[in-house]
Amino acid sequence: MTMSDTRPSAPVIEVARLSVAYGQVRALEDVNVALAPGRICALIGVNGSGKSTLFKALMGLVVPDAGDVSLFGLPTGEARRRQLVAYMPQTEDVDWTFPVSVADVVAMGLYGRLGITRRLRGVDRAAVDDALERVGLSDLRRRQIGQLSGGQRKRVFIARSIAQDARLLLLDEPFAGVDRTSEHTMIRLLKTLRDEGRSVLVSTHDLAGAPALSDEAILLHGSVLAHGDPADVLTPANLALAFGQLAAPALAEGDS
């Protein structure tokens, strides 16, 4: 599926007046977000600020109480059907004991185009091979997914999105539990994908690293407190709103 199949000049992500509640708990309230193509956007906020709920709303995994969500100018379900978007959930949302290999997980990104037999063709196997090579995991292709390190597991999901040729990557806490070397490897890879025209929305707690990682940032606390250049978003005043008055000065100096 090519970008010509989407609405011309449509934002990659367009969220208008989005509200989501779990029972009496309001997770998101009147959220408005637009993300242009070819950008890495850092999504920042405390635990419970609604970051994961926003990802799930973008994937159509929760039903909003109000508002509209579109990806590439399309309803979320249609964007998923066309395989325009790939999603990496938080680590605890994945069953790492499931008996599948690294290559099997990467190949899952192709299932939408394989038909009911899900039989890989030569071009599909080549896409899996290329994706594994790009993330540096070719030699682990037959390893059971749960036997990998934290950083390797995250790279498998990125490889799956590459094989899928997704134009938008939604990454929920991809650097959690990952060593610095793996984190830097992943950041370089995400920037390469960005330079190829893909877009990335990535949640992170690393405030000090956000400017180097991203082209823009969203500060979320149930609603959008700020959205723009990371230097303009991650100010002491804004961080005080998101993290509290006492935490803001230390966070602004890079203590994440």
Side-chain angles (χ1 to χ4, degrees):
M1 192 63 58
T2 66
M3 292 298 292
S4 61
D5 295 307
T6 64
R7 194 180 74 201
S9 303
V12 174
I13 294 173
E14 196 167 17
V15 177
R17 305 174 305 280
L18 177 68
S19 295
V20 178
Y22 301 108
Q24 299 301 311
V25 178
R26 181 71 66 178
L28 295 174
E29 181 71 41
D30 197 31
V31 170
N32 296 278
V33 169
L35 180 63
R39 307 279 286 176
I40 297 177
C41 181
L43 182 63
I44 297 168
V46 298
N47 291 335
S49 61
K51 300 188 300 296
S52 292
T53 297
L54 179 57
F55 280 119
K56 290 175 181 177
L58 293 172
M59 289 297 293
L61 301 178
V62 296
V63 179
D65 294 281
D68 299 298
V69 178
S70 64
L71 305 176
F72 301 95
L74 301 168
T76 56
E78 180 66 10
R80 290 178 62 186
R81 186 186 70 79
R82 298 188 185 194
Q83 296 196 292
L84 294 170
V85 56
Y87 173 49
M88 177 195 295
Q90 291 192 19
T91 298
E92 56 266 29
D93 294 334
V94 179
D95 180 6
W96 300 109
T97 66
F98 198 74
V100 290
S101 70
V102 167
D104 290 335
V105 174
V106 176
M108 289 176 186
L110 301 168
Y111 281 0
R113 68 188 69 164
L114 296 181
I116 59 174
T117 64
R118 292 183 176 174
R119 179 175 298 174
L120 296 180
R121 301 159 298 176
V123 65
D124 302 316
R125 286 190 289 272
V128 171
D129 292 343
D130 177 67
L132 286 170
E133 182 176 354
R134 292 193 65 178
V135 303
L137 293 176
S138 296
D139 57 336
L140 298 178
R141 59 180 299 117
R142 294 183 177 83
R143 189 79 57 89
Q144 193 272 336
I145 185 68
Q147 297 176 352
L148 302 184
S149 69
Q152 289 169 337
R153 293 176 182 182
K154 303 297 178 65
R155 280 187 280 154
V156 169
F157 275 89
I158 294 176
R160 185 176 71 174
S161 71
I162 293 173
Q164 177 183 327
D165 196 27
R167 311 312 299 172
L168 170 64
L169 281 64
L170 304 176
L171 310 180
D172 195 356
E173 299 290 353
F175 307 124
V178 172
D179 62 77
R180 283 293 183 181
T181 299
S182 295
E183 180 177 340
H184 292 156
T185 298
M186 291 169 63
I187 289 173
R188 287 195 299 271
L189 179 58
L190 293 179
K191 288 183 175 181
T192 298
L193 296 175
R194 185 258 332 260
D195 293 342
E196 294 172 359
R198 304 174 203 250
S199 304
V200 182
L201 180 64
V202 50
S203 63
T204 177
H205 289 291
D206 185 3
L207 300 183
L213 162 68
S214 58
D215 304 300
E216 56 191 85
I218 296 172
L219 192 59
L220 189 70
H221 193 79
S223 60
V224 175
L225 301 180
H227 180 192
D229 186 279
D232 297 328
V233 169
L234 303 177
T235 64
N238 287 338
L239 294 175
L241 293 173
F243 293 91
Q245 294 286 348
L246 295 178
L251 289 168
E253 294 170 5
D255 182 5
S256 61

